Amino acid sequence: MTTAAGSLATLLVLADGRLPAGGHAHSSGLEAQVSAGRIRHLADVDAFLRGRLATGGLVASAFAGAGCARTHAIEDLDFAFEVRTPSPALRHASRAQGKALFRAGRAMWPAPALHRPDVHQPVALGVVAAAAGLAPEQAAVAAAWHTISGPASAAVRLLGLDPYGVHALLARLAPDCDTIATKAMTYLEKSLDDLPADGAPLLDIGAEHHATWEVRLFAS
Amino acid sequence: MRAVARIVAAPDGRGGTSLPTLAGEPPLLVRRTGTRQPGVPADVHLVGGAAGPLGGDRLRIEITVESGAALVVRTVAASIALPTPHAHGRPDTSLVEVHATVARGGLLHWLPEPLIGAAGCDHDAVTRVDVADGGTLVWRDELVCGRHGEDSGAVRLHTTVRYADRTLYRHDLTVGPAAPGWSGPAVLGGRATGTLIVIDPAWSDGGPPPATPLGDTAAAMPLPGPAMLATAVGADLRAVRAPLERARQLTSAAA
């Protein structure tokens, strides 16, 4: 099932935080929780990232892997992700990032699959990874990494935390990203309803509150 | 223990609802309550005939609502998932499955008291609801993570709701010692959570109500179909129940 891994350097290009795919504009729900007073210190950021990786990280990882492996079934995967994302604000944020990722992907690895309506970010990541010649497990690990690297960077900007301390958290969580991606790959041939659906009620609720703010630093 | 409870609701031919099947076995006992009259849904209460669910229990509740029938199912008390008593070695998991189907023109309200995941429990709650095009659903689930003053046990919720042969909501939630960050600021941020799912065919044309916050720690959100989800988190059941009750007012799909 798993294909030979693609170029490691190509994976670094796709997973780079400087990829112009709109990721910098999103805090993955962290800004709302900072505002609610639930995240103040580095330990809170650690708890946020661990919870995020175990829930949305697993779902994103599985959908990125599936998006890379099942390029014939993108619409179905996209709808399956939609029904796992009840918050309209989070759906919008995910689709906006998927659209931006396709745009970047078309410039880097032109492929007909990248000329389609916007899809959710993890599914788009899988499709772009396939266009780049990467394997599903590489898409899966990039997706897991994306779910924690974005909010970690947002935490530095929102809370003025020591960036070395935040990157130390990320380094400690890197093996967990591998574990999540390995777990995600066990779902590669599952039916749509059997793909992971681990949700985070607080982030759905926070996103809907965040969407009502007039002034915010991040789009989500 | 292994037990199955079955409830079938059908129109009684006089504008009311009859229950041609109403069968349970310990610890799942079912009782018809309330009045029987035209235009009023049949009321059924699940009565716990034993403590639990305990580790090793395999319990299943099957609900069928036929076209033209209306059914409200409640429980008389919270369901407390407990570890296997006197377990030697690794205790067994407990499992409660709820499978419900609602036909076109049928109405089901599932309004049980909460599930409480007692310390040390290892519990799976699997919910699968299939509503046909034109069916009506109000489905509430609440979870309290641990009894008062104790840590949470391991609880895994798996929820699939389908409408008109298409999944419109898939949600899993894992809490307890093996779930990283579950009580932290990315998942629950508290010890209690609950959801209310409404499918209302009256929303087939205009769509469900737009997303709206319900107080500080709850929100109502439209699902892809004539449906909405309200989700709430809080320190305790009361903080969760109140916004879910407010969300129930957003639908005309009254029982």
Side-chain angles (χ1 to χ4, degrees):
Chain A
M1 180 69 226
T2 52
T3 52
S7 151
L8 271 184
T10 300
L11 176 61
L12 293 179
V13 172
L14 182 61
D16 192 329
R18 287 160 294 191
L19 183 74
H24 64 280
H26 297 270
S27 79
S28 289
L30 187 117
E31 184 173 27
Q33 300 311 321
V34 167
S35 168
R38 289 195 182 86
I39 300 177
R40 294 194 173 99
H41 310 292
L42 199 60
D44 306 325
V45 177
D46 185 46
F48 182 93
L49 297 179
R50 287 178 190 280
R52 179 95 186 99
L53 186 58
T55 56
L58 176 62
V59 176
S61 193
F63 275 78
C68 186
R70 305 186 200 176
T71 46
H72 56 284
I74 297 308
E75 278 76 17
D76 290 342
L77 279 170
D78 188 62
F79 191 75
F81 192 86
E82 178 97 353
V83 303
R84 286 159 173 76
T85 315
S87 157
L90 292 184
R91 285 178 189 163
H92 179 76
S94 173
R95 287 196 181 282
Q97 291 181 80
K99 185 177 184 177
L101 187 54
F102 270 167
R103 183 177 177 185
R106 283 195 297 272
M108 296 185 290
W109 304 292
L114 302 181
H115 293 272
R116 60 164 70 242
D118 51 320
V119 297
H120 283 292
Q121 197 273 348
V123 180
L125 183 55
V127 175
V128 172
L134 295 171
E137 56 263 49
Q138 294 179 308
V141 79
W145 167 247
H146 179 84
T147 57
I148 59 167
S149 60
S153 150
V156 171
R157 289 161 68 186
L158 286 164
L159 293 164
L161 293 174
D162 168 22
Y164 295 98
V166 171
H167 249 75
L169 293 183
L170 288 175
R172 280 204 291 278
L173 284 170
D176 296 327
C177 287
D178 288 326
T179 304
I180 284 287
T182 301
K183 186 175 178 185
M185 292 306 291
T186 65
Y187 293 91
L188 206 53
E189 294 180 43
K190 299 278 191 189
S191 70
L192 294 173
D193 274 354
D194 290 333
L195 290 172
D198 297 79
L202 188 56
L203 293 197
D204 292 329
I205 296 162
E208 289 311 312
H209 281 82
H210 188 262
T212 66
W213 299 359
E214 285 186 12
V215 179
R216 54 194 182 219
L217 190 57
F218 290 93
S220 77
Chain B
M1 292 180 112
R2 284 173 185 272
V4 179
R6 288 193 180 87
I7 307 167
V8 177
D12 68 2
R14 301 184 302 277
T17 294
S18 65
L19 301 174
T21 301
L22 185 64
E25 52 190 333
L28 293 176
L29 304 176
V30 285
R31 297 285 180 267
R32 181 161 190 174
T33 51
T35 57
R36 300 175 195 211
Q37 48 184 300
V40 175
D43 264 318
V44 168
H45 274 80
L46 281 155
V47 183
L54 305 179
D57 284 356
R58 295 284 182 271
L59 311 179
R60 184 176 165 94
I61 300 164
E62 295 174 4
I63 302 170
T64 304
V65 179
E66 296 180 358
S67 184
L71 174 68
V72 179
V73 183
R74 301 175 197 270
T75 59
V76 296
S79 163
I80 304 175
L82 293 161
T84 316
H86 316 298
H88 300 289
R90 187 181 168 80
D92 283 342
T93 61
S94 50
L95 168 69
V96 174
E97 286 181 274
V98 185
H99 285 207
T101 60
V102 181
R104 181 181 184 87
L107 176 148
L108 172 63
H109 285 207
W110 167 259
L111 300 168
E113 293 306 304
L115 169 66
I116 299 174
C121 80
D122 194 354
H123 181 70
D124 286 288
V126 177
T127 297
R128 185 186 162 107
V129 187
D130 265 291
V131 179
D133 192 359
T136 300
L137 180 77
V138 174
W139 191 277
R140 183 180 73 201
D141 273 316
E142 294 158 330
L143 171 67
V144 179
C145 305
R147 289 170 296 193
H148 185 73
E150 73 176 9
D151 290 339
S152 182
V155 179
R156 294 166 294 276
L157 308 180
H158 313 269
T159 305
T160 306
V161 179
R162 294 171 58 83
Y163 180 74
D165 298 320
R166 193 176 199 195
T167 300
L168 62 71
Y169 180 61
R170 263 292 284 123
H171 182 79
D172 293 344
L173 179 67
T174 304
V175 303
W182 70 269
S183 63
V187 185
L188 288 189
R191 286 165 51 86
T193 184
T195 53
L196 182 86
I197 296 158
V198 179
I199 298 175
D200 184 346
W203 294 334
S204 293
D205 291 332
T212 178
L214 298 165
D216 286 343
T217 54
M221 297 166 277
L223 295 172
M228 66 156 222
L229 166 79
T231 189
V233 296
D236 53 26
L237 179 65
R238 196 163 52 167
V240 165
R241 177 70 63 87
L244 296 185
E245 283 301 297
R246 282 176 57 199
R248 203 142 70 91
Q249 310 306 317
L250 295 173
T251 172
S252 59

